Amino acid sequence: MEISEKWIRHYSSKHKILLVGEGNFSFSLCLASAFGSAMNITATSLDSEDELCTKYMDAMDNINILKRYGCDIQHEVDVHTMSFDNSLSLQRYDRIVFNFPHAGSRFFGREFSSRAIESHKELVRGFLENAKEMLEEDGEIHITHKTTYPFSDWGIKKLAKGEGLKLLKKSKFELSHYPGYINKRGSGGRRSDDYFPVGECSTYMFIQS
């Protein structure tokens, strides 16, 4: 008997999903809970397992549940080099997802500076450059991002166009759509485990041109 397809917003239990830049892995767990399985999910963090334990109170609990769901968990994955990582690059994904990319705690409180904006743009550009090499033919790259100034100055759509990608859809992001997802500041420091207000934000969905 074929298992029925389950959806949560833009994501299906039949999609092969790669999540990058996970903090406490609560977004991954939200999807897995909705699907009743995580066999279709690869969830990654830039942090090592030890760093996650230091930064996030609930990260390891979430990871252990994800593993029971069958999730592929990988640490120390850099979005700028992931297309060369054999544990990831030998596969192709229907959805590659990066929620709230950020270039690091050194820019907290300095988001208006040109240096901060350029660093954030470089992070996103490198992610897109790698992600496009890892997509299925009709796959999508999703970036959830704040849409108000100064975050709007990152020029997400322009960065994607520069990588040969085009905007398929832009959808307003609401935390309530993803039960259990708790966005964290991350990036080191004493406030890594703090929640941050998402404000007005959207999920940008890109495809190959």
Side-chain angles (χ1 to χ4, degrees), residues 9 144 171-178 181 198-199 201-203:
R9 296 295 290 165
T144 297
S171 177
K172 186 174 182 180
F173 179 88
E174 299 279 1
L175 278 173
S176 60
H177 294 158
Y178 299 96
Y181 174 43
V198 297
C201 54
S202 293
T203 299

Side-chain angles (χ1 to χ4, degrees), residues 161-191:
K161 186 176 181 180
E163 294 299 329
L165 300 164
K166 65 180 180 180
L167 184 68
L168 174 67
K169 185 180 179 182
K170 177 182 172 184
S171 177
K172 186 174 182 180
F173 179 88
E174 299 279 1
L175 278 173
S176 60
H177 294 158
Y178 299 96
Y181 174 43
I182 304 172
N183 51 302
K184 300 287 188 173
R185 288 169 63 93
S187 300
R190 289 176 295 177
R191 299 185 61 192

Side-chain angles (χ1 to χ4, degrees), residues 51-97:
E51 287 170 331
L52 288 173
C53 291
T54 302
K55 289 182 178 181
Y56 308 108
M57 187 183 305
D58 55 355
M60 293 314 299
D61 287 340
N62 291 342
I63 286 170
N64 287 333
I65 298 170
L66 281 163
K67 286 180 177 178
R68 291 200 292 271
Y69 272 126
C71 188
D72 177 19
I73 304 284
Q74 299 191 33
H75 304 299
E76 299 181 82
V77 172
D78 187 336
V79 298
H80 280 199
T81 58
M82 64 183 182
S83 64
F84 300 100
D85 185 333
N86 285 340
S87 63
L88 296 172
S89 63
L90 299 179
Q91 304 182 61
R92 291 294 176 265
Y93 300 92
D94 300 301
R95 300 289 184 271
I96 301 179
V97 183

Side-chain angles (χ1 to χ4, degrees), residues 3 141 164 172:
I3 298 174
I141 299 171
K172 186 174 182 180

Side-chain angles (χ1 to χ4, degrees), residues 109-207:
R110 300 171 52 207
E111 301 291 354
F112 295 87
S113 74
S114 58
R115 184 182 174 194
I117 290 170
E118 287 306 312
S119 294
H120 294 317
K121 288 168 69 173
E122 188 59 32
L123 169 64
V124 173
R125 187 182 295 112
F127 162 67
L128 293 168
E129 181 181 359
N130 279 259
K132 70 181 183 182
E133 302 298 331
M134 303 167 71
L135 280 180
E136 285 283 8
E137 186 175 347
D138 57 353
E140 300 174 14
I141 299 171
H142 292 189
I143 298 176
T144 297
H145 179 59
K146 295 186 178 186
T147 54
T148 53
Y149 179 78
F151 305 99
S152 54
D153 276 10
W154 295 18
I156 296 289
K157 288 189 288 185
K158 185 176 180 180
L159 293 172
K161 186 176 181 180
E163 294 299 329
L165 300 164
K166 65 180 180 180
L167 184 68
L168 174 67
K169 185 180 179 182
K170 177 182 172 184
S171 177
K172 186 174 182 180
F173 179 88
E174 299 279 1
L175 278 173
S176 60
H177 294 158
Y178 299 96
Y181 174 43
I182 304 172
N183 51 302
K184 300 287 188 173
R185 288 169 63 93
S187 300
R190 289 176 295 177
R191 299 185 61 192
S192 292
D193 205 28
D194 287 359
Y195 160 88
F196 67 86
V198 297
E200 294 181 26
C201 54
S202 293
T203 299
Y204 295 79
M205 306 171 205
F206 299 104
I207 57 174

